[in-house]
Amino acid sequence: MLEIKNLHATVDGKDILRGIDLTIKAGEIHAIMGPNGSGKSTLSYVLAGRDGYNVTQGDILFNGQSLLNLEPEERAREGIFLAFQYPVEIPGVANATFLRSAVNAVRKHRGLADMDAMTFLKTAKAKMKQLQMDEKFLQRAVNQGFSGGEKKRNEVFQMAMLEPALAILDETDSGLDIDALKIVAEGVNALRSPERSAMVITHYQRLLDYIVPDVVHVLSKGRIIKTGGKELALELEAKGYADIVADAA
Amino acid sequence: MAANAQTIETVEGLAGEYKYGFVTDIESELLPKGLSEDTVRFISAKKGEPQWMLDWRLRAYKAWLRMAKEKGEPGWAKVSYPEIDFQDIHYYSAPKKKTLKSLDEVDPELLATYEKLGIPLKEREILAGVAVDAVFDSVSVATTFKGKLKDLGIIFCSMSEAVREHPELVQKYLGSVVPVTDNFYATLNSAVFSDGSFVYVPPGVRCPMELSTYFRINEAKTGQFERTLIVVDKGAYVSYLEGCTAPMRDENQLHAAVVELVAMEDAEIRYATVQNWYPGDKNGKGGIYNFVTKRGACRGARSKISWTQVETGSAITWKYPSVILQGDDSVGEFYSVAVANNAQQADTGTKMIHMGKNSKSTIISKGISAGKAQNTYRGLVRVMPGAAGARNYSQCDSLLIGDRCGGHTVPYIEVKNRSAKVEHEATTSRISDDQLFYCRQRGLSEEDAVSTIVNGFCKEVLQKLPMEFAVEAQKLLGVSLEGSVG
Ligand SMILES: Nc1ncnc2c1ncn2[C@@H]1O[C@H](COP(=O)(O)OP(=O)(O)OP(=O)(O)O)[C@@H](O)[C@H]1O
Ligand SMILES: [Mg+2]
């Protein structure tokens, strides 16, 4: 599904990613952990194609095709979804309007007809119910005035509607209360299938109790310094990053 | 909701071209260029006007000559353009076949043009409940729906017809809100106005459909000087829509219209405009000079006048739809979206003149600038000594796209009564990279992202428009901002 090969990237001329190799197969969930500032969000932006994040070496293959020359919207339509660490507010644009445009942009790319308003509403309401989100959020402006947790839940709601092939969740668990964490994790698990993959960026092993990863990676200073199974997260929780980072240095 | 999807299609379909830039090939009767007393007499005679109307025009023409000699065109707006040669303009142009009794007699080419413009003119559109008075260059072509309105005592016809058929009303109200010598362009309009719409709604009648005018400038080097007068009597109501387009031409064309509204006791007038005159090309070649005077008088107690405008076109827009709040407890509203892209210049806003006690006004202005355009909100709120308890709330927001454009807010506030309350808020924001990336990450193209964000920014104004117009306006916003990022 996703193959990252010797990826180097700069932001504002500064080297942030310094040689990342990572392969996620269809159906797998990989967790990315690592200290603040290690480059986790940067990796997610580079995968999503954000302007200003320049790949200087290496390649990213998605289903065998290089992503490097694709615009962010093309990558999104190919099935890459990023749940933002800091979701953005868009004043005056109803969540429903926004999401329906997104759903239809993706459908169009797949050669499907637009989803009509009625079907959209029905589907949206069903997904919201699963996520225990109030339907009022459909008519509210995108993320505007949402609490931190509500924003995160809204990201998962969008993901549920868009059904991406590869979901990248950047600290979606931060700011969620315990109940919300479970609900959001269920939302992610509901999408789990042999054709879909996910990259879950988190600081807390607790999330991984609910979304059980196949592989855990530790990112430090723009490199993956350790890769292991689910137990690696437990080890990090107990000991912190100091030992691993020291070993790698 | 569907609007956005439609915006997307429109944007994709048009690829930045001005959709209304076609020229209709119709034989027309064209008065040679130039302006003199004879021009004024010619226009008046052509329309079979009575002597009083001709005298009125001639008075205006003399006043205009004086103004032209003493001061020339007004220079206070934040717009710049070469001086206009008023002798290089045709002041009258009309499609040749005339005196139409029904739509069947209208030149099929013309009807095809209207169809292209998406104007509801024929049977199926009548079902949509819109009565249209279509003004093509200088002459009102056909007014649909007249019969039904007539039964209710509502008059909806071309200005020329009103002068002939309802002289008492025209004489009483024409120039009563915008005096002949109000300003340079209004005075010019008073001398040479060629046609326009007239509406009268009798006491207590609620006009059951939206009345609508569609203006189009077709002829090259033609000025369009329409004159609209709407009088709504006690306790009556009307909603009026106006749309405008013009073909693409390299030279600038002048549009100097005057609109007067009169609302009696407990009357309400809603006036909505979607203005999409040709804006000129990317470098500022060609385009319409839109120098328009629009004013309403809330004459009676508890009367209400509401202006809503979406201004996306024109090379230069100079326009301040205003309300004179004479009646006690009268209400004036101004909701505006003004877009200036590429080399467009917009200087637009409103005047709210509070005279009646407890009169209220609301101003919501959304200015969007892109390219190297300049967009100015210019507004006056004046509370006269007698307007005890008057209130105004103004909110002016500017949205900038890119860093070569400018958004300016120039509010004038004059309060001469201590019990009045005037509030003014202004914001300036930019479309952020974060917002664009967020939208694109969800699959929206860059252009749809801009259009989505802009539509959100304008929401408070767009929701004041009647439904069909709101959809049209959303599309226009997307199209007129094509190519503004990246
Ligand atoms: N525009 C920029 N200019 C310079 N440095 C930047 C820029 N953007 C990010 N960085 C730096 O890149 C590094 C990686 O940032 P990133 O946001 O990817 O970290 P992270 O692993 O997601 O951290 P956190 O756990 O705190 O979210 C940081 O040191 C950050 O300061
Ligand atoms: Mg981060």
Side-chain angles (χ1 to χ4, degrees):
Chain A
M1 164 92 41
L2 182 73
E3 271 179 90
I4 304 175
K5 294 180 178 167
N6 188 33
L7 184 68
H8 289 250
T10 60
V11 184
D12 275 346
K14 202 175 145 203
D15 292 322
I16 311 282
L17 302 184
R18 303 184 300 151
I20 292 187
D21 287 283
L22 175 63
T23 300
I24 301 183
K25 296 206 190 84
E28 288 182 349
I29 293 191
H30 287 222
I32 310 264
M33 303 183 81
N36 293 130
S38 55
K40 303 182 297 295
S41 294
T42 303
L43 175 61
S44 73
Y45 287 152
V46 170
L47 292 174
R50 182 163 190 164
D51 287 345
Y53 289 73
N54 302 311
V55 174
T56 49
Q57 257 189 73
D59 203 352
I60 306 165
L61 302 182
F62 184 60
N63 295 329
Q65 185 199 359
S66 173
L67 288 181
L68 296 186
N69 290 321
L70 295 189
E71 296 293 331
E73 58 270 34
E74 294 170 318
R75 300 183 196 200
R77 293 171 197 163
E78 288 289 336
I80 294 179
F81 178 92
L82 171 58
F84 284 60
Q85 183 173 0
Y86 304 107
V88 181
E89 300 186 359
I90 311 179
V93 179
N95 225 358
T97 312
F98 177 70
L99 193 49
R100 192 163 155 239
S101 310
V103 166
N104 284 334
V106 172
R107 288 177 68 89
K108 190 171 176 190
H109 181 72
R110 294 186 190 153
L112 298 171
D114 274 7
M115 191 185 265
D116 63 79
M118 287 308 291
T119 317
F120 173 82
L121 270 186
K122 237 174 86 185
T123 319
K125 285 182 179 171
K127 304 268 185 200
M128 290 181 107
K129 203 163 172 194
Q130 279 170 17
L131 293 167
Q132 298 184 23
M133 253 174 105
D134 195 315
E135 286 175 11
K136 279 197 307 243
F137 283 98
L138 280 175
Q139 289 320 317
R140 281 180 61 179
V142 180
N143 292 324
Q144 204 182 23
F146 288 23
S147 76
E150 286 166 351
K151 283 184 183 169
K152 296 301 175 73
R153 212 183 284 212
N154 195 35
E155 293 290 285
V156 176
F157 167 52
Q158 295 185 20
M159 180 184 80
M161 289 298 292
L162 289 164
E163 302 185 326
L166 173 69
I168 305 166
L169 293 99
D170 191 356
E171 297 198 28
T172 302
D173 53 333
S174 309
L176 290 181
D177 63 47
I178 310 246
D179 295 336
L181 185 70
K182 279 191 208 160
I183 293 162
V184 161
E186 276 165 27
V188 175
N189 288 330
L191 275 185
R192 236 177 151 151
S193 85
E195 302 88 55
R196 289 186 222 284
S197 314
M199 178 189 279
V200 180
I201 298 171
T202 181
H203 286 294
Y204 306 105
Q205 108 83 23
R206 199 183 53 207
L207 175 69
L208 305 180
D209 284 341
Y210 300 109
I211 305 175
V212 183
D214 299 292
V215 187
V216 177
H217 307 275
V218 179
L219 195 66
S220 170
K221 300 198 177 107
R223 284 200 188 98
I224 289 174
I225 56 168
K226 189 155 184 168
T227 294
K230 186 190 167 337
E231 62 297 339
L232 179 56
L234 288 166
E235 189 187 325
L236 291 170
E237 181 104 327
K239 297 195 203 152
Y241 293 110
D243 289 356
I244 302 180
V245 172
D247 283 356
Chain B
M1 255 180 258
N4 201 52
Q6 274 173 320
T7 306
I8 293 166
E9 280 167 27
T10 314
V11 170
E12 282 171 351
L14 296 175
E17 293 296 315
Y18 180 73
K19 178 181 168 188
Y20 304 103
F22 51 83
V23 178
T24 306
D25 189 14
I26 288 182
E27 259 199 285
S28 64
E29 187 176 25
L30 195 64
L31 184 67
K33 285 178 192 169
L35 179 57
S36 68
E37 200 173 302
D38 288 341
T39 321
V40 178
R41 288 181 186 280
F42 175 88
I43 295 169
S44 186
K46 204 74 210 159
K47 302 191 159 293
E49 286 178 354
Q51 187 64 34
W52 62 265
M53 193 71 249
L54 174 62
D55 292 345
W56 198 85
R57 286 177 181 277
L58 288 172
R59 259 201 318 278
Y61 176 64
K62 289 199 178 100
W64 183 78
L65 278 183
R66 257 197 323 276
M67 288 167 139
K69 208 163 128 198
E70 283 162 17
K71 281 210 295 215
E73 293 175 67
W76 44 264
K78 194 177 165 49
V79 295
S80 61
Y81 56 95
E83 218 178 302
I84 297 173
D85 179 356
F86 289 94
Q87 298 305 335
D88 193 36
I89 294 173
H90 294 288
Y91 287 84
Y92 186 85
S93 147
K96 237 180 192 156
K97 294 172 209 156
K98 263 218 66 197
T99 2
L100 307 155
K101 294 225 171 50
S102 82
L103 279 179
D104 304 336
E105 296 175 37
V106 175
D107 189 324
E109 275 261 13
L110 199 56
L111 284 181
T113 303
Y114 286 132
E115 217 163 286
K116 253 195 256 182
L117 291 166
I119 312 167
L121 198 68
K122 285 189 293 181
E123 205 54 35
R124 67 187 159 95
E125 289 89 3
I126 289 172
L127 290 173
V130 183
V132 179
D133 184 26
V135 177
F136 198 84
D137 283 347
S138 310
V139 179
S140 183
V141 181
T143 307
T144 50
F145 240 126
K146 250 190 220 166
K148 190 167 173 199
L149 294 170
K150 208 171 164 190
D151 294 343
L152 290 164
I154 297 171
I155 305 169
F156 178 36
C157 62
S158 72
M159 199 63 184
S160 324
E161 188 179 332
V163 169
R164 290 192 304 268
E165 312 281 325
H166 309 282
E168 65 306 331
L169 286 170
V170 176
Q171 238 174 325
K172 186 164 172 194
Y173 293 107
L174 190 73
S176 75
V177 187
V178 179
V180 166
T181 53
D182 188 78
N183 71 72
F184 188 81
Y185 305 114
T187 307
L188 176 61
N189 173 288
S190 302
V192 300
F193 75 84
S194 31
D195 217 329
S197 303
F198 175 78
V199 177
Y200 173 77
V201 188
V205 173
R206 216 186 141 79
C207 184
M209 64 194 81
E210 316 267 2
L211 300 185
S212 151
T213 308
Y214 216 99
F215 292 114
R216 177 160 175 86
I217 299 179
N218 193 52
E219 201 66 51
K221 288 253 175 196
T222 314
Q224 183 156 4
F225 304 93
E226 354 66 59
R227 184 99 198 179
T228 297
L229 175 60
I230 300 177
V231 179
V232 177
D233 222 321
K234 288 182 187 171
Y237 165 89
V238 75
S239 168
Y240 190 88
L241 315 174
E242 168 195 74
C244 328
T245 62
M248 274 194 254
R249 296 195 189 281
D250 284 349
E251 76 271 19
N252 296 104
Q253 278 173 287
L254 178 63
H255 174 249
V258 173
V259 176
E260 295 178 279
L261 311 181
V262 179
M264 305 304 200
E265 226 170 85
D266 295 300
E268 180 175 351
I269 304 177
R270 288 166 182 254
Y271 194 106
T273 306
V274 172
Q275 182 267 114
N276 183 34
W277 299 117
Y278 179 52
D281 72 4
K282 267 206 157 66
N283 306 311
K285 194 168 173 26
I288 301 288
Y289 291 162
N290 190 30
F291 300 155
V292 169
T293 305
K294 291 186 165 171
R295 195 174 302 154
C298 282
R299 293 261 158 93
R302 296 168 305 276
S303 55
K304 179 173 174 182
I305 290 181
S306 177
W307 297 102
T308 305
Q309 60 173 19
V310 175
E311 304 278 323
T312 61
S314 295
I316 301 179
T317 297
W318 180 98
K319 179 179 170 191
Y320 314 89
S322 306
V323 184
I324 304 168
L325 297 141
Q326 292 166 290
D328 291 349
D329 301 294
S330 58
V331 177
E333 294 175 339
F334 175 72
Y335 299 100
S336 168
V337 170
V339 177
N341 192 6
N342 298 319
Q344 279 178 283
Q345 308 174 61
D347 193 301
T348 181
T350 184
K351 285 191 268 184
M352 293 291 173
I353 313 293
H354 291 260
M355 299 167 77
K357 292 191 189 66
N358 301 313
S359 49
K360 274 207 254 345
S361 64
T362 304
I363 298 172
I364 309 281
S365 159
K366 305 279 180 177
I368 299 139
S369 324
K372 50 186 189 334
Q374 295 297 326
N375 199 338
T376 303
Y377 167 80
R378 189 182 302 279
L380 167 69
V381 176
R382 178 181 288 154
V383 179
M384 305 298 272
R391 275 163 166 260
N392 161 267
Y393 173 73
S394 303
Q395 184 190 324
C396 302
D397 300 321
S398 302
L399 184 68
L400 306 179
I401 305 174
D403 49 16
R404 290 175 302 147
C405 55
H408 316 276
T409 301
V410 191
Y412 304 90
I413 299 170
E414 297 170 18
V415 180
K416 296 187 182 122
N417 185 302
R418 282 171 177 275
S419 62
K421 236 170 112 181
V422 174
E423 284 174 84
H424 178 90
E425 286 175 27
T427 66
T428 300
S429 53
R430 234 169 247 284
I431 290 193
S432 72
D433 291 346
D434 281 343
Q435 287 174 324
L436 284 176
F437 176 59
Y438 190 72
C439 293
R440 294 175 74 189
Q441 210 302 305
R442 297 297 182 254
L444 274 60
S445 69
E446 193 160 41
E447 254 132 26
D448 293 340
V450 170
S451 155
T452 298
I453 295 165
V454 166
N455 274 306
F457 174 74
C458 302
K459 184 177 163 211
E460 288 155 280
V461 175
L462 296 178
Q463 65 192 13
K464 295 287 171 189
L465 290 170
M467 192 55 189
E468 347 52 279
F469 245 38
V471 172
E472 165 95 17
Q474 284 187 320
K475 283 194 234 172
L476 273 180
L477 287 175
V479 174
S480 53
L481 287 167
E482 255 284 281
S484 58
V485 289

